[in-house]
């Protein structure tokens, strides 16, 4: 149990998707102008992440890994299809996002209209594909994958909500014109990243 | 007879030289005034983590140029056959195939660099520059200009990557491409490598400053986003 809590804390704070690996930067910068949309996108990312990473894990272990196909025929035990993982992972993610989009459109129309074009953008959000790829590279098992995916989703949520809150305040401050918008957002993200560095080494 | 000649000239007229002014502009624009990273805010996602040294940045830049050029070419060639509703999936499959190719080549011939880049090669798939150019350019234009546009966008991205990579390696570990630049006597006199440069926030500071400089020099870019 303790190691799962450790993994979760690590994924949220120490190896935060945004501040330590720069994943999900595009939507992180584009959607963080208002707190409300940032909140919605953060929730959507957590949700999609928790669904796709375990699903990708199952695909990886049942179909792609070396020896995984031996349940069809023993002669297939040597087949290693891991090179197909990129294509399958991204297809699963694209399909899931489409599904989530339809569900939100049906049951939460207010959220749907405020998220607008950003829902399809989750497909190309590196944080989602990133957690599937980290899962493959670090060889997590199924419960670890779920905890890690949840943790990295929550980490993204935390980061985007914090940045949106700061940027809402910043609209009233007096900064040099060329630095307005993107430039300032980058510098602030850097400062927040430095703050998150102080979590390094924490273990429960 | 005369109509035949006329129709031949009519068909011939729209074909332009391979490097006409328009095509050169398509190739060069993303390098400065329409840079995908600093102006269009695309593709910052996957690659800033690889810029601690020049070598991985260079490999990453070349990979992205390859993928964006050829995905633009392929999508543009089949653009009339793609049903509009499933275009995202078609685009993703084309990109994922090309990225798989790059990944396998890197693993076979440059295993060290491939290990260092780890998951970031796979994350080229979700690099918004490539998707963005497919949506905005390749779905409407002919294959050749699309190919050039792909090279241009990839190169604009690579330029920023190299800029950051040079700064971070020079000040962070005192070398370039693995060769020592800062001499030993400088260390003896008390020069210390800047440890912050090796940490993730440095990349964000550098790109923020790059944007600041670029927008100060070219006022028309101010407040684009």
């Amino acid at each position: 149990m303790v190691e799962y809590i450790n993994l979760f804390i690590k994924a949220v704070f120490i190896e935060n998707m945004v501040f330590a690996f720069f994943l999900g930067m595009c939507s992180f910068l584009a959607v963080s102008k208002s707190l409300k949309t940032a909140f919605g996108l953060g929730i959507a990312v957590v949700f999609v992440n928790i669904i796709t990473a375990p699903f990708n894990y199952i695909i990886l272990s049942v179909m792609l890994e070396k020896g995984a196909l031996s349940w069809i025929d023993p002669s297939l035990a040597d087949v290693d299809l891991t090179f197909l993982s990129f294509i399958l992972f991204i297809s699963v993610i694209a399909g899931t996002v489409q599904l989530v989009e339809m569900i939100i459109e049906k049951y939460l129309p207010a959220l749907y209209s405020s998220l607008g074009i950003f829902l399809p953008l989750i497909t190309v959000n590196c944080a989602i594909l990133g957690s599937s790829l980290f899962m493959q590279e670090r060889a997590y098992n199924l419960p670890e994958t779920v905890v890690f995916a949840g943790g990295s989703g929550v980490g993204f949520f935390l980061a985007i909500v914090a940045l949106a809150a700061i940027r809402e305040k910043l609209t009233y401050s007096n900064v040099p014109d060329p630095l307005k918008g993107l430039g300032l957002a980058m510098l602030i993200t850097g400062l927040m990243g430095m703050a998150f560095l102080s979590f390094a080494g924490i273990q429960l | 007879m005369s109509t035949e000649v006329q129709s031949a000239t009519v068909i011939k007229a729209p074909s332009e030289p391979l490097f006409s002014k328009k095509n050169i502009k398509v190739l060069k624009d993303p390098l400065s005034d329409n840079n995908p990273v600093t102006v269009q805010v695309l593709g910052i996602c996957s690659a800033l983590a690889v810029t601690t040294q020049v070598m991985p940045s260079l490999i990453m830049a070349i990979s992205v140029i390859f993928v964006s050029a050829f995905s633009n070419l392929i999508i543009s060639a089949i653009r009339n056959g793609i049903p509009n509703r499933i275009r995202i999936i078609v685009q993703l499959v084309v990109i994922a195939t090309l990225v798989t190719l790059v990944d396998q080549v890197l693993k076979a011939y440059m295993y060290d660099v491939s290990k260092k880049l780890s998951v970031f090669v796979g994350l080229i798939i979700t690099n918004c520059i490539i998707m963005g150019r497919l949506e905005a350019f390749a779905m409407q234009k002919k294959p050749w200009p699309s190919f050039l546009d792909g090279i241009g966008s990839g190169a604009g991205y690579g330029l920023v990557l190299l800029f950051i990579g040079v700064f971070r390696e020079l000040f962070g570990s005192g070398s370039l491409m693995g060769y020592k630049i800062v001499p030993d006597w400088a260390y003896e006199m008390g020069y210390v490598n800047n440890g912050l440069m090796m940490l993730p926030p440095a990349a964000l500071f550098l790109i923020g400053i790059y944007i600041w400089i670029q927008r100060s020099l070219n006022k028309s870019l101010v407040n684009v986003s």
Side-chain angles (χ1 to χ4, degrees):
Chain A
M1 193 61 212
V2 176
E3 76 242 39
Y4 293 134
I5 296 174
N6 266 344
L7 187 63
F8 186 80
I9 302 265
K10 204 171 145 199
V12 176
F13 293 110
I14 302 165
E15 294 185 347
N16 187 292
M17 276 286 167
V18 176
F19 297 125
F21 295 111
F22 307 102
L23 299 182
M25 268 290 172
C26 294
S27 37
F28 179 73
L29 291 170
V31 187
S32 60
K33 277 173 196 153
S34 94
L35 193 54
K36 220 174 134 205
T37 42
F39 196 83
L41 184 80
I43 298 278
V45 166
V46 175
F47 185 59
V48 173
N49 217 1
I50 288 184
I51 297 175
T52 52
F55 199 54
N56 280 336
Y57 173 82
I58 292 167
I59 285 189
L60 186 70
S61 57
V62 177
M63 287 163 66
L64 298 179
E65 266 174 349
K66 194 172 180 194
L69 283 175
S70 53
W71 56 272
I72 299 177
D73 191 282
S75 64
L76 292 174
D78 284 341
V79 179
D80 184 1
L81 291 176
T82 36
F83 68 92
L84 285 178
S85 57
F86 292 164
I87 296 181
L88 280 177
F89 285 180
I90 198 70
S91 312
V92 165
I93 291 168
T96 314
V97 169
Q98 202 94 61
L99 202 69
V100 170
E101 195 181 345
M102 284 193 277
I103 292 172
I104 292 185
E105 191 180 7
K106 179 93 173 34
Y107 294 107
L108 301 164
L111 182 62
Y112 182 78
S113 61
S114 71
L115 282 178
I117 65 156
F118 296 116
L119 261 182
L121 259 184
I122 291 184
T123 313
V124 287
N125 189 324
C126 329
I128 308 273
L129 182 62
S131 33
S132 289
L133 291 177
F134 276 126
M135 171 270 289
Q136 183 187 10
E137 194 183 76
R138 298 175 186 170
Y140 287 139
N141 60 26
L142 188 56
E144 278 171 354
T145 305
V146 176
V147 171
F148 175 73
S152 50
V154 171
F156 182 85
F157 173 81
L158 200 69
I160 195 171
V161 168
L163 183 70
I166 295 177
R167 280 181 83 173
E168 272 195 354
K169 293 280 175 210
L170 277 177
T171 43
Y172 304 110
S173 18
N174 192 10
V175 284
D177 272 348
L179 197 56
K180 263 184 192 158
L182 185 57
L184 195 58
M186 287 282 183
L187 295 182
I188 290 168
T189 314
L191 287 174
M192 287 165 74
M194 279 173 81
F196 267 69
L197 277 180
S198 59
F199 286 114
I202 290 181
Q203 274 190 344
L204 290 178
Chain B
M1 184 66 192
S2 65
T3 52
E4 231 171 73
V5 171
Q6 217 171 19
S7 69
T9 50
V10 166
I11 293 169
K12 217 178 168 198
S15 83
E16 45 185 297
L18 280 185
F19 286 99
S20 64
K21 229 177 203 165
K22 212 171 92 201
N23 285 347
I24 294 286
K25 191 170 148 50
V26 164
L27 188 60
K28 265 170 60 185
D29 248 15
L31 289 181
S32 56
D33 287 352
N34 206 9
N35 189 293
V37 178
T38 58
V39 180
Q40 299 171 13
V41 213
L42 296 177
I44 308 152
C45 332
S46 60
L48 289 187
V50 306
T51 50
T52 45
Q53 283 167 340
V54 178
M55 195 59 192
S57 330
L58 195 65
I59 301 287
M60 190 72 184
I62 293 170
S63 314
V64 169
I65 292 174
F66 171 82
V67 173
S68 86
F70 281 93
S71 62
N72 258 9
L73 182 70
I74 293 169
I75 288 292
S76 170
I78 60 171
R79 68 186 186 281
N80 294 325
I82 304 175
N84 203 30
R85 306 198 98 205
I86 59 159
R87 65 179 195 286
I88 304 264
I89 281 255
V90 175
Q91 289 164 359
L92 280 176
V93 168
V94 169
I95 298 171
T97 314
L98 288 165
V99 171
T100 308
L101 268 179
V102 169
D103 186 46
Q104 297 294 319
V105 169
L106 283 183
K107 268 189 190 141
Y109 295 105
M110 283 178 264
Y111 192 72
D112 295 343
V113 179
S114 158
K115 266 275 154 269
K116 203 173 267 172
L117 291 175
S118 77
V119 301
F120 292 97
V121 178
L123 287 169
I124 297 177
I125 299 172
T126 51
N127 192 321
C128 335
I129 293 176
I130 297 170
M131 273 306 261
R133 290 327 287 169
L134 289 180
E135 277 284 292
F137 203 95
M139 289 299 284
Q140 286 111 36
K141 301 280 175 24
K142 291 203 182 104
W144 175 246
S146 308
F147 185 68
L148 289 181
D149 181 73
I151 294 181
S153 313
Y157 167 84
L159 195 71
V160 177
L161 224 61
L162 280 183
F163 171 84
I164 298 169
V166 165
F167 267 85
R168 286 181 76 180
E169 190 173 352
L170 187 59
F171 292 111
S173 46
S175 58
L176 278 179
M177 304 281 283
Y179 295 105
K180 259 185 113 157
I181 297 288
V182 179
D184 282 334
W185 56 262
Y187 287 109
E188 278 157 24
M189 283 173 68
Y191 177 82
V192 183
N193 284 331
N194 189 345
L196 177 67
M197 281 291 166
M198 302 310 283
L199 297 173
L204 290 162
F205 291 139
L206 281 172
I207 200 166
I209 292 164
Y210 186 100
I211 292 169
W212 191 359
I213 294 171
Q214 192 187 24
R215 291 190 179 179
S216 310
L217 295 177
N218 188 347
K219 294 284 181 199
S220 65
L221 296 177
V222 172
N223 279 337
V224 198
S225 58

